[in-house]
Amino acid sequence: MGHLGENGLNCELGNGVSMCGNEESFEKESNSSSIQYAVKVLLMGLGEDINREGIRKTPLRVAKALSEGTRGYTQGVKEIVEDALFPEACVGNSEVGDAGGEVDGLVIVRNLDFYSYCESCMLPFYFKCHVGYVPSGQRVLGLSKLSRVTNVFAKQLQEPQRLADQVCSALQEGIQPKGVAVVLQCKHLPFPDMESNTLQSHHKGVQGILVSAGSGAFQNKDALIWDDFLGLLNSRGVDKDQIHDKGSLDQCWCPSLSSSKVSVKNEEINPLMVTAVASILKSLGEDPTRKELQGTPGRYTKWLMNFQCSSIEKKLKGLVWSGTNGASSDNNTLHSELNLPFLSQCEHHLLPFHGVVHIGYFTSPGFEIEKSLLQTIVHFFGVKLQVQERLTKQIAETVSSLIGENVVVVVEASHTCMMSRGIEKFGSNTATIAALGRFSTDLAARAMFLKSIPSAESL
Amino acid sequence: MGHLGENGLNCELGNGVSMCGNEESFEKESNSSSIQYAVKVLLMGLGEDINREGIRKTPLRVAKALSEGTRGYTQGVKEIVEDALFPEACVGNSEVGDAGGEVDGLVIVRNLDFYSYCESCMLPFYFKCHVGYVPSGQRVLGLSKLSRVTNVFAKQLQEPQRLADQVCSALQEGIQPKGVAVVLQCKHLPFPDMESNTLQSHHKGVQGILVSAGSGAFQNKDALIWDDFLGLLNSRGVDKDQIHDKGSLDQCWCPSLSSSKVSVKNEEINPLMVTAVASILKSLGEDPTRKELQGTPGRYTKWLMNFQCSSIEKKLKGLVWSGTNGASSDNNTLHSELNLPFLSQCEHHLLPFHGVVHIGYFTSPGFEIEKSLLQTIVHFFGVKLQVQERLTKQIAETVSSLIGENVVVVVEASHTCMMSRGIEKFGSNTATIAALGRFSTDLAARAMFLKSIPSAESL
């Protein structure tokens, strides 16, 4: 591990100061440079050249994203809810006669989208939040505050049940209503199974869990008021019977805790990387010795090692295609292989992106490439630090080298960096296309292929 | 208009300074106090008591929301895109042989959600953005920058075609690619037709339009590369044939420009309110004399006047129900009237919220309340400055006064204040419930009613 020698790192740190451009203001934050240092250790541990232009600023971007993504540690709930309670005592009094004058009805804000970070593996996870409360003291809360309070706890390292409990307690304490109910629909990224090259089965279902928390009138899970709350969520796809019971979460939530999904062996883990991740946790304001976090640096390092820099030629060497080269004149049948799943890691933010690859090529009938070979190519180019544009081109060129030049590749992907940080565009989805040979000029052929791509559901 | 006398306003402005609570930092912005002054003029013009606790801070909230919502006027594109271009020259070189080495493929980011403000009426409008470019000079742009650049132009007073053109030009100039394509799916809130009490027909369809812009390789609308771009949007519900031609937009986009939709007559418009709106435009950094904005203060004032404070008793006096009072013992048939549309104006932010009301009550068979009467009640309580909790309760109490005490009301609404400002939770939706009489204790009855509510699609 010569890369990780002290000289190299110190030298790079010295350069770090000049790296910031328009992101200078962030540099002032005290913990940023130590996170950047740790990220450099990780990149070098992956075998990357930390001076390569694409990842030169990755340490800065990761530090910024992590600090933003865990800003909840320094935020308070009290400041959010104070001044946001409005009196509704006059309801029913002034205009249509007095029928009690108290807003005693349940208020539910549904379908709030968030990202949080999994405390077990440090990957971002998505959740949809439904939160309700029964007002008391003739006071109602500004609706946006339910979202703002949830975000304080979302922006921490979390696991679903604790997140629900914390949001619930904070609202109960902050606004003192008759009761608070919280339901979270959480989705975790799957971990790749590196033993087999085909990721199909692991990509189809994103790891999901439904948790709830209640206080006051909602404290008892069997309280009848839960029926009102869930009755109004029912139409939104929330099934009461699927709500997870407290206690037995760890086994089924984060894939990093399920040993069968972890292909990188303990002896392959570089202890310098593990130490670097632990130092990041500390810089974010967490206690790395907290029980739930003790294994996190190791698990995150294992995840990262799936994307270590390696020779693709070596990986691809074993692959053979039994067909003939497709340059002969009768190669005029368009063949499409659609929805090949992939998982990759964005080199700009060290965050996963994943989706499907569609490959089209001309060949003679009977000379199609085996689907498993295409899936292997897709897999190999996915499991390293990547950008989607390069991934698309590399797959096209590799397939072209097997079958001849007439190849078109479309990649459709969800980028967690577009959702879990900064712009937080939850439904966004990126499509890229690389067209080689005949596909680069023959628009009718390209259109025919594009039409064959099914309408994908975004995650 | 004694309310708008100078004394009252000056007095209130004097108090304004102490209104800020934890939002003090914003007060420093130079234009905030003049916007707050103007909002007070508007509230008084609506007949509101500006010292009522629910709206006491509305001027501050509106000023803050408007300034945030138009921050694009002070943002530059150059700072966003510089440092965000990454070289991809090595693609295809290092690992699988040289096949050109240029990332010449189209990159599309789809389904980016935004809110902007309509320059014709100052209401927020929603749009979904799809933006693509063909890289040149072997450089690709960080994906999030396409969203950030779009947001600069979204956060201004806009109309769809100009917005698309500006995003396109800014990206073309900022990153100098081979071409840029932009498609926007825009939705405008409907205006209520106050002539008829039933809003049904106007609420069903939100005013929508599809616009596009292209530069470089996309400059010509008939260029074949548009087929690639639209081919990759096709599966996302974008139909090429529905893209609006430039030029003839004004008639069909903003409902305020269609005179038939404006029920408030010119002579009812208070000139002080119009002047106040013009001063807001100026404070936001706009030129109120710009051609497209010349009628905006009048149109926004007309919109607001739909929600003027008025005596509901007077409005409801003309309503009669031909049934008998429902207190007799055989009133045990649950009757549900579902999906009654409403449009209202949030008194906290002066922003619209809209959705549907579901009403359940027990009555004898044959003694149901006419749907049109219920719709009128819903309408009357909607068209004023409101909060959803109060609206729900008021409808329940009014129906109860007609039919007897056993009434349950559920209101489901989308709040533009939850989406166009601050937390920007696009899919969020709020449900409130008020249960009177038997419904407040009989959970089986409430559950039966809740089950009858169809799963609603959010806007």
Side-chain angles (χ1 to χ4, degrees):
Chain A
M1 273 292 151
H3 269 103
L4 292 176
E6 283 206 1
N7 285 342
L9 277 170
N10 287 341
C11 164
E12 184 51 32
L13 265 190
N15 290 341
V17 181
S18 63
M19 283 170 35
C20 302
N22 64 349
E23 291 168 301
E24 269 175 20
S25 64
F26 175 74
E27 271 253 307
K28 290 168 195 155
E29 295 200 13
S30 58
N31 290 310
S32 174
S33 63
S34 68
I35 298 177
Q36 291 184 48
Y37 179 91
V39 173
K40 285 174 192 168
V41 172
L42 297 176
L43 289 172
M44 292 168 83
L46 291 174
E48 293 285 347
D49 168 12
I50 57 175
N51 291 311
R52 176 160 72 82
E53 195 172 344
I55 60 170
R56 202 165 51 83
K57 289 188 188 169
T58 295
L60 179 67
R61 281 187 292 260
V62 173
K64 195 175 171 183
L66 280 175
S67 297
E68 281 177 5
T70 57
R71 64 181 182 271
Y73 290 119
T74 58
Q75 292 177 323
V77 170
K78 196 165 157 251
E79 304 81 68
I80 294 174
V81 299
E82 73 183 1
D83 288 335
L85 283 165
F86 298 96
E88 278 302 319
C90 63
V91 165
N93 284 344
S94 56
E95 287 164 340
V96 288
D98 191 338
E102 194 182 21
V103 177
D104 57 1
L106 178 59
V107 177
I108 311 176
V109 175
R110 306 176 290 198
N111 294 355
L112 296 165
D113 294 317
F114 292 97
Y115 259 88
S116 185
Y117 281 88
C118 173
E119 67 179 11
S120 298
C121 67
M122 285 183 67
L123 291 186
F125 71 89
Y126 166 79
F127 70 97
K128 195 177 272 294
C129 172
H130 313 284
V131 56
Y133 75 102
V134 180
S136 74
Q138 307 185 334
R139 295 180 88 76
V140 298
L141 185 68
L143 295 173
S144 70
K145 307 305 176 185
L146 296 168
S147 174
R148 291 188 197 276
V149 169
T150 304
N151 204 39
V152 168
F153 299 97
K155 293 289 175 280
Q156 302 183 13
L157 294 176
Q158 280 290 4
E159 69 84 26
Q161 186 61 58
R162 194 179 64 238
L163 177 53
D165 290 342
Q166 288 180 340
V167 171
C168 185
S169 306
L171 285 170
Q172 184 68 42
E173 198 174 312
I175 62 174
Q176 312 224 322
K178 289 182 188 153
V180 175
V182 176
V183 165
L184 309 180
Q185 295 172 286
C186 304
K187 285 183 181 176
H188 198 298
L189 275 177
F191 272 38
D193 180 354
M194 296 299 171
E195 301 297 312
S196 72
N197 292 327
T198 67
L199 302 183
Q200 201 98 31
S201 59
H202 299 294
H203 274 72
K204 279 219 170 127
V206 171
Q207 202 98 356
I209 197 170
L210 192 63
V211 296
S212 70
S215 62
F218 291 94
Q219 188 133 35
N220 180 351
K221 270 282 166 59
D222 300 320
L224 294 167
I225 194 166
W226 271 103
D227 290 343
D228 287 341
F229 183 77
L230 295 171
L232 284 164
L233 296 191
N234 230 351
S235 56
R236 311 278 155 179
V238 175
D239 181 353
K240 187 181 182 179
D241 296 334
Q242 291 180 355
I243 292 179
H244 205 276
D245 285 329
K246 291 193 190 192
S248 59
L249 266 183
D250 289 5
Q251 286 76 31
C252 56
W253 167 244
C254 177
S256 76
L257 295 171
S258 152
S259 60
S260 70
K261 294 281 175 58
V262 179
S263 56
V264 179
K265 301 199 173 48
N266 281 332
E267 54 269 27
E268 295 170 26
I269 299 298
N270 183 323
L272 287 176
M273 294 173 75
V274 178
T275 305
V277 179
S279 83
I280 290 176
L281 290 177
K282 211 167 172 183
S283 298
L284 296 176
E286 264 289 2
D287 171 14
T289 65
R290 160 158 91 80
K291 191 178 114 238
E292 297 84 358
L293 293 178
Q294 283 173 14
T296 301
R299 287 187 290 263
Y300 182 64
T301 303
K302 279 185 184 178
W303 157 266
L304 270 189
M305 289 306 286
N306 287 319
F307 304 96
Q308 64 189 301
C309 191
S310 60
S311 161
I312 296 282
E313 286 95 333
K314 211 170 81 186
K315 284 185 176 175
L316 290 177
K317 215 165 55 183
L319 303 178
V320 277
W321 175 57
S322 52
T324 57
N325 186 292
S328 70
S329 61
D330 62 343
N331 292 340
N332 48 19
T333 305
L334 173 63
H335 192 77
S336 297
E337 201 66 72
L338 305 174
N339 287 321
L340 301 166
F342 78 95
L343 173 68
S344 191
Q345 184 89 341
C346 159
E347 73 177 26
H348 297 157
H349 302 96
L350 283 192
L351 284 169
F353 67 101
H354 60 118
V356 289
V357 178
H358 314 291
I359 302 174
Y361 56 94
F362 281 101
T363 189
S364 314
F367 286 92
E368 295 88 1
I369 310 183
E370 299 91 332
K371 183 176 178 179
S372 63
L373 175 56
L374 293 175
Q375 178 64 66
T376 301
I377 291 169
V378 165
H379 173 73
F380 279 166
F381 284 106
V383 290
K384 51 184 198 163
L385 299 191
Q386 268 287 14
V387 295
Q388 184 175 334
E389 295 88 338
R390 192 192 309 147
L391 174 68
T392 312
K393 195 86 174 175
Q394 286 177 336
I395 293 170
E397 289 171 349
T398 303
V399 175
S400 168
S401 73
L402 290 174
I403 195 86
E405 59 178 0
N406 304 317
V407 174
V408 60
V409 172
V410 167
V411 177
E412 300 189 283
S414 295
H415 289 250
T416 47
C417 64
M418 294 283 278
M419 302 175 217
S420 66
R421 55 170 278 286
I423 59 169
E424 295 194 355
K425 293 297 182 190
F426 288 94
S428 72
N429 185 291
T430 302
T432 44
I433 180 167
L436 302 180
R438 181 173 156 189
F439 284 103
S440 67
T441 51
D442 183 345
L443 278 142
R446 222 150 76 200
M448 184 159 50
F449 170 71
L450 293 180
K451 265 191 192 148
S452 73
I453 297 175
S455 171
E457 284 174 44
S458 62
L459 267 179
Chain B
M1 274 293 152
H3 269 103
L4 292 176
E6 283 205 0
N7 286 341
L9 278 169
N10 287 341
C11 165
E12 183 52 31
L13 264 189
N15 291 339
V17 181
S18 62
M19 283 169 36
C20 301
N22 64 347
E23 291 168 301
E24 270 176 20
S25 63
F26 175 74
E27 271 254 307
K28 288 169 197 155
E29 294 200 15
S30 59
N31 291 309
S32 174
S33 62
S34 68
I35 298 177
Q36 290 184 48
Y37 178 91
V39 173
K40 285 174 192 168
V41 172
L42 297 176
L43 290 172
M44 291 167 83
L46 290 174
E48 293 284 348
D49 168 11
I50 57 175
N51 291 312
R52 177 160 71 81
E53 196 172 344
I55 61 170
R56 203 165 49 85
K57 289 189 188 169
T58 295
L60 180 67
R61 281 186 291 260
V62 173
K64 196 174 168 184
L66 279 175
S67 297
E68 279 177 7
T70 58
R71 64 180 182 272
Y73 289 120
T74 58
Q75 292 176 323
V77 170
K78 196 165 158 252
E79 303 82 68
I80 294 175
V81 298
E82 74 184 359
D83 289 335
L85 284 165
F86 298 97
E88 279 303 320
C90 64
V91 165
N93 284 344
S94 55
E95 287 164 339
V96 288
D98 190 338
E102 193 180 22
V103 177
D104 58 1
L106 178 58
V107 177
I108 310 177
V109 175
R110 306 177 289 198
N111 293 354
L112 296 166
D113 293 317
F114 292 96
Y115 259 89
S116 185
Y117 282 87
C118 173
E119 68 179 11
S120 298
C121 67
M122 285 183 68
L123 292 186
F125 70 89
Y126 166 78
F127 69 97
K128 197 177 271 295
C129 171
H130 313 285
V131 54
Y133 75 102
V134 180
S136 75
Q138 306 185 333
R139 296 180 89 78
V140 298
L141 186 68
L143 296 173
S144 70
K145 308 305 177 186
L146 295 168
S147 174
R148 291 188 198 276
V149 169
T150 304
N151 204 40
V152 168
F153 299 97
K155 293 290 176 280
Q156 302 183 13
L157 294 176
Q158 281 289 5
E159 67 85 27
Q161 185 62 58
R162 195 179 63 237
L163 177 53
D165 290 342
Q166 288 180 340
V167 171
C168 184
S169 305
L171 285 170
Q172 184 68 41
E173 198 174 310
I175 62 175
Q176 311 222 325
K178 288 183 189 155
V180 175
V182 176
V183 166
L184 309 180
Q185 294 171 286
C186 304
K187 285 183 183 177
H188 198 297
L189 275 176
F191 272 36
D193 181 353
M194 297 298 169
E195 301 298 310
S196 73
N197 292 327
T198 66
L199 301 184
Q200 202 97 31
S201 59
H202 299 293
H203 275 73
K204 279 217 169 129
V206 171
Q207 202 98 356
I209 198 169
L210 192 63
V211 296
S212 70
S215 63
F218 291 93
Q219 187 134 37
N220 181 352
K221 270 284 165 59
D222 301 318
L224 294 167
I225 194 166
W226 272 103
D227 291 343
D228 288 341
F229 183 77
L230 296 170
L232 284 163
L233 297 190
N234 230 351
S235 56
R236 311 277 155 181
V238 175
D239 180 353
K240 186 183 183 179
D241 295 334
Q242 291 179 355
I243 292 179
H244 206 275
D245 285 330
K246 292 194 190 190
S248 59
L249 267 183
D250 289 5
Q251 285 76 32
C252 55
W253 166 244
C254 176
S256 76
L257 295 170
S258 152
S259 61
S260 70
K261 295 280 173 61
V262 179
S263 56
V264 178
K265 304 204 170 44
N266 281 331
E267 53 271 26
E268 295 169 24
I269 299 297
N270 184 322
L272 287 176
M273 293 173 75
V274 178
T275 306
V277 179
S279 83
I280 290 175
L281 291 177
K282 211 168 171 182
S283 298
L284 296 176
E286 263 290 1
D287 171 13
T289 65
R290 154 159 96 80
K291 190 178 112 238
E292 297 83 357
L293 292 178
Q294 283 173 13
T296 301
R299 287 187 290 264
Y300 181 65
T301 303
K302 280 185 185 179
W303 157 267
L304 271 188
M305 289 306 286
N306 287 319
F307 304 96
Q308 64 188 301
C309 190
S310 60
S311 161
I312 295 282
E313 287 95 334
K314 211 171 81 186
K315 283 185 177 175
L316 290 177
K317 214 166 53 183
L319 302 179
V320 277
W321 176 57
S322 53
T324 57
N325 186 292
S328 70
S329 59
D330 62 342
N331 292 338
N332 47 19
T333 305
L334 174 63
H335 191 78
S336 297
E337 200 66 71
L338 305 174
N339 287 321
L340 301 166
F342 78 95
L343 174 67
S344 191
Q345 185 88 342
C346 159
E347 72 178 25
H348 297 157
H349 303 96
L350 283 192
L351 284 169
F353 68 101
H354 60 118
V356 289
V357 178
H358 314 291
I359 301 174
Y361 56 94
F362 282 103
T363 188
S364 315
F367 286 91
E368 295 89 1
I369 310 184
E370 300 91 332
K371 182 176 179 180
S372 63
L373 176 55
L374 293 175
Q375 179 65 66
T376 301
I377 292 169
V378 165
H379 172 73
F380 279 165
F381 284 106
V383 288
K384 50 184 198 165
L385 299 191
Q386 270 287 15
V387 296
Q388 184 175 335
E389 295 88 340
R390 191 191 309 148
L391 174 68
T392 312
K393 194 87 174 173
Q394 287 177 335
I395 293 170
E397 289 171 350
T398 303
V399 175
S400 168
S401 73
L402 290 175
I403 196 86
E405 59 178 359
N406 304 317
V407 174
V408 59
V409 172
V410 167
V411 177
E412 300 188 283
S414 296
H415 289 251
T416 47
C417 65
M418 294 281 279
M419 303 175 215
S420 65
R421 53 169 279 285
I423 58 170
E424 296 194 354
K425 292 297 181 190
F426 288 95
S428 73
N429 185 292
T430 301
T432 44
I433 180 167
L436 301 180
R438 180 172 159 191
F439 285 103
S440 66
T441 50
D442 183 346
L443 278 142
R446 223 149 75 201
M448 185 161 48
F449 170 70
L450 292 180
K451 265 191 191 148
S452 72
I453 297 176
S455 171
E457 285 173 41
S458 61
L459 268 178

